[in-house]
Amino acid sequence: MDPVSTTQKTLSQWGQRVRATWTNWWQVFLLGAQIVVLAFLPSSYQRGAQRAAVLRNLYQATAPLLTWFLVLSALISVVLIRIVVATAYSYGLSQYALEVLVRTLVLELIPLYAAMFVAVRYAMPGAQRIRRLLAEQQRNGFETTDQTLLRTELLPRALATVFSVLLLAAVSCVVALVLTYLTVYGFSPWGFPSYTRSVGSVFTPAVTLIFTLKTLFFSLAVAVVPLAASAQRDAAGRYSRRSDISEFARLFSVVLLIEVLSLVGNYY
């Protein structure tokens, strides 16, 4: 076998993969920009089918998930709170327990697993349903235009996903803060001034801004990345089924990048 031709073939395959990867991520970025622009247009919420689709998806993305997520979040919070408080008391570092809990549980963990919960329970299954719908329409010889697909299917689901992540993260943070107070001070009201002072010392303006932006970008990533993949054709121009594992890995890589950037902003 000619080594020169083998090298050329390898470089050609590598270049094709790089070009395909770049094209896929460019489509994700382009779809995200279109969704953000449409989200600020009043016409996206006009009366009729458009508004009904947005409201229906808002309900489907939040109401069925809220109860189970709060139960799961409360259980995880109680376990972590007990571990951190017991460890801090055993080492004589009880004065740092509240700050550690707020930084690890509220600032880092809750936005992350809220985004992953919505992704697994709503965003990714919804993206697969859209892809099956597009494949069925293609087999029947019916093609939906990009703008129609964006307004009728992708935009309502994206708005619902963003709203769901933000709502679940906010409610879960409140639950975690209440459970933290009850674990440390019980039902006594006398610990409230000390507790609010400790929590307030963590939420500086810079930390609050980074926390808000991180949660917002988490919600945008969960909303856009699966939907962008659902609307992408394969090499044959068809809407073949994509692997759930590969799609989740793709989404998790974006979420992990956002988390790393937020950690750099908070602690470096």
Side-chain angles (χ1 to χ4, degrees):
M1 183 178 292
D2 187 4
V4 176
S5 62
T6 303
T7 303
Q8 291 177 345
K9 183 179 180 180
T10 302
L11 291 177
S12 177
Q13 293 175 348
W14 181 80
Q16 291 175 357
R17 288 195 296 267
V18 171
R19 184 173 60 183
T21 302
W22 168 257
T23 302
N24 291 337
W25 284 112
W26 172 250
Q27 290 178 354
V28 171
F29 177 78
L30 183 61
L31 178 64
Q34 291 175 327
I35 288 175
V36 171
V37 172
L38 288 176
F40 288 98
L41 293 179
S43 60
S44 300
Y45 311 97
Q46 61 187 358
R47 293 183 181 276
Q50 184 70 29
R51 178 179 294 185
V54 172
L55 294 177
R56 182 176 64 255
N57 281 276
L58 286 176
Y59 175 81
Q60 293 173 350
T62 53
L65 307 184
L66 187 59
T67 301
W68 288 109
F69 179 78
L70 289 182
V71 171
L72 177 64
S73 178
L75 290 175
I76 295 175
S77 298
V78 168
V79 172
L80 291 178
I81 290 168
R82 292 302 303 170
I83 291 175
V84 172
V85 170
T87 303
Y89 274 99
S90 64
Y91 286 99
L93 302 173
S94 57
Q95 67 272 21
Y96 301 110
L98 283 177
E99 182 177 348
V100 172
L101 281 172
V102 173
R103 287 188 178 276
T104 56
L105 186 58
V106 177
L107 292 182
E108 308 301 338
L109 292 181
I110 287 179
L112 181 60
Y113 67 70
M116 291 294 98
F117 189 86
V118 176
V120 173
R121 294 296 302 275
Y122 178 77
M124 294 182 65
Q128 290 289 0
R129 283 194 293 270
I130 291 177
R131 193 165 184 84
R132 287 195 299 268
L133 175 63
L134 293 175
E136 183 179 354
Q137 290 178 350
Q138 190 178 54
R139 287 193 299 269
N140 295 332
F142 175 74
E143 294 288 342
T144 304
T145 62
D146 293 340
Q147 287 301 316
T148 302
L149 177 65
L150 180 61
R151 281 188 172 271
T152 60
E153 295 291 342
L154 301 184
L155 178 63
R157 290 183 181 275
L159 293 175
T161 302
V162 171
F163 178 78
S164 180
V165 173
L166 296 179
L167 178 64
L168 295 184
V171 175
S172 185
C173 286
V174 173
V175 172
L177 290 174
V178 172
L179 291 175
T180 301
Y181 180 87
L182 294 178
T183 302
V184 176
Y185 297 102
F187 292 94
S188 172
W190 305 113
F192 193 71
S194 175
Y195 178 74
T196 54
R197 185 168 56 251
S198 299
V199 174
S201 65
V202 175
F203 282 95
T204 61
V207 171
T208 304
L209 177 62
I210 293 174
F211 170 73
T212 304
L213 291 177
K214 178 179 72 172
T215 308
L216 177 62
F217 284 125
F218 276 175
S219 64
L220 288 174
V222 173
V224 172
V225 175
L227 291 178
S230 70
Q232 290 175 356
R233 300 173 185 264
D234 56 19
R238 300 182 180 277
Y239 296 99
S240 59
R241 178 176 173 79
R242 292 174 177 261
S243 171
D244 293 335
I245 299 299
S246 62
E247 292 303 319
F248 182 80
R250 184 183 185 185
L251 173 61
F252 188 74
S253 64
V254 178
V255 172
L256 185 61
L257 177 61
I258 297 172
E259 178 66 26
V260 170
L261 293 177
S262 70
L263 290 174
V264 172
N266 278 329
Y267 303 108
Y268 291 97

